[in-house]
Amino acid sequence: MSTPPPVLVTRRLAPGVIERLTAHHAVTCHDSDLAMDRAALLDAVRGRRAVITTLDDRVDAEFLDAAGPGLAVVANHAVGYHNADVAACAERGVLVTNTPGVLTTATADMAWALLLAATRRLGEGERLLRSGAPWTWAPNFLLGMELAGTPLGVLGMGRIGQAVARRARAFDMPVGYHNRRELPPEQAGGADWKPLEELLATSTVLVVTCPFTADTRHLLDARRLALLPRGAVVVSMTAGVVDEEALAAALESGALFAAAVDNFEREPAVPSALLAQERAVLAPHLGSATVRTRQAMGGLAVDNVLAVLGGSAPLTPVVQPI
């Protein structure tokens, strides 16, 4: 049996990225925008030295067994890495890397796009026009929420959360945040740290950017969503942190004015309860979807592979499990 190329790429990369890798190593690329099914993935990883994965690729003991002892690095094409059992990889000497930093700007911009769409009811307005239904301007027609002076809460004040908070200055919004630790004032940029439940109680608009972990799964359940002021808006940029069924119920009851969700717990499935909500703005995981950012993410994943296979330390290693 012939030896497979040392590198496997499990998804088609942005234009111009794969060539940087193939200039140095033989590569097998799953040339599709769709994820490999599990059986095909396990077969494809056999004998590889490096695998560039996405969040759809579960990297666990089964994956590692299939790859064999030669696997040196799993380069996740994402800032998140909840798909990878980092501890199991470390036990076998397999490095895990991710792509932090390069997607901050695009993701923060997307959070604000969703925030504005939700607070100004743009989705409802566009659906109305496209439906061909009659309409006319009226003083009470599709009234939205003004942002100036409206308290913004940021749940998760990492790079993306900080970028979201910085953009709030242009809208004259006071900003509070909750994080595992309070940030130095110069890093917080004028935002005030608050305990979680206080943040919820004082945030008319809440943007969720914290990572998905075992501890944050459904952190915003029905009980915590009920702590938000009546008529609040929730923007979720992280799958699994907000209980999607509870979010739909809060919209249905009128407790929330609107919500926006960029990625979902069981992608590509979207809960029917959310799809039924007129005031839910729903996006198909577009947070980092700009040409420049996806090229940068792919390039960083490639750089991590090239570094490890060249005998150097990776640029952005995941040093511990979340």
Side-chain angles (χ1 to χ4, degrees):
M1 181 180 296
S2 60
T3 302
V7 183
L8 171 69
V9 180
T10 67
R11 197 80 69 92
R12 183 185 294 141
L13 299 179
V17 174
I18 193 70
E19 291 79 4
R20 296 179 52 204
L21 189 57
T22 56
H24 299 275
H25 297 283
V27 178
T28 302
C29 180
H30 177 57
D31 192 21
S32 172
D33 291 329
L34 300 177
M36 303 178 74
D37 66 53
R38 184 65 175 177
L41 175 65
L42 294 177
D43 184 60
V45 298
R46 299 184 193 283
R48 306 291 181 170
R49 291 276 294 144
V51 183
I52 296 180
T53 54
T54 69
L55 290 173
D56 294 310
D57 304 318
R58 193 170 71 253
V59 180
D60 53 11
E62 184 182 42
F63 178 105
L64 297 170
D65 287 341
L71 184 64
V73 59
V74 171
N76 224 31
H77 189 292
V79 66
Y81 48 91
H82 55 266
N83 59 307
D85 186 335
V86 181
C89 290
E91 288 175 2
R92 304 187 190 210
V94 177
L95 292 164
V96 178
T97 69
N98 63 343
T99 61
V102 294
L103 48 65
T104 297
T105 295
T107 306
D109 287 350
M110 184 64 183
W112 272 94
L114 292 174
L115 190 162
L116 289 166
T119 56
R120 296 303 300 272
R121 302 175 67 179
L122 296 184
E124 294 172 79
E126 186 183 31
R127 286 191 293 275
L128 175 64
L129 292 182
R130 290 184 181 277
S131 75
W135 66 280
T136 185
W137 183 94
N140 293 315
F141 179 59
L142 283 179
L143 298 184
M145 177 191 296
E146 288 197 27
L147 296 180
T150 299
L152 171 69
V154 178
L155 179 54
M157 206 51 172
R159 291 183 180 93
I160 295 169
Q162 291 171 42
V164 168
R166 286 194 298 272
R167 284 155 175 74
R169 298 174 192 162
F171 291 86
D172 297 322
M173 298 177 76
V175 181
Y177 73 95
H178 179 77
N179 215 40
R180 288 172 293 183
R181 58 182 179 85
E182 188 171 354
L183 300 178
E186 64 275 11
Q187 197 173 351
D192 296 321
W193 184 90
K194 298 181 180 183
L196 176 58
E197 297 198 349
E198 181 182 340
L199 179 75
L200 298 178
T202 56
S203 298
T204 304
V205 179
L206 181 73
V207 179
V208 180
T209 59
C210 63
F212 174 72
T213 71
D215 292 332
T216 63
R217 183 178 184 275
H218 291 186
L219 181 66
L220 295 187
D221 55 12
R223 182 186 72 81
R224 287 201 172 102
L225 287 172
L227 298 176
L228 290 161
R230 187 166 185 83
V233 173
V234 174
V235 177
S236 174
M237 302 301 293
T238 309
V241 176
V242 181
D243 182 326
E244 293 165 0
E245 296 292 342
L247 184 66
L251 287 167
E252 180 68 27
S253 71
L256 294 179
F257 178 81
V261 183
D262 181 51
N263 53 87
F264 301 88
E265 190 168 357
R266 296 177 179 84
E267 290 185 359
V270 179
S272 58
L274 268 181
L275 289 170
Q277 298 304 315
E278 273 293 294
R279 295 200 186 184
V281 179
L282 307 175
H285 205 152
L286 297 178
S288 63
T290 70
V291 173
R292 182 193 301 173
T293 294
R294 291 289 170 81
Q295 287 178 331
M297 291 171 69
L300 183 50
V302 166
D303 287 343
N304 278 310
V305 168
L306 292 176
V308 173
L309 295 189
S312 300
L315 282 71
T316 53
V318 174
V319 295
Q320 61 182 11
I322 294 179

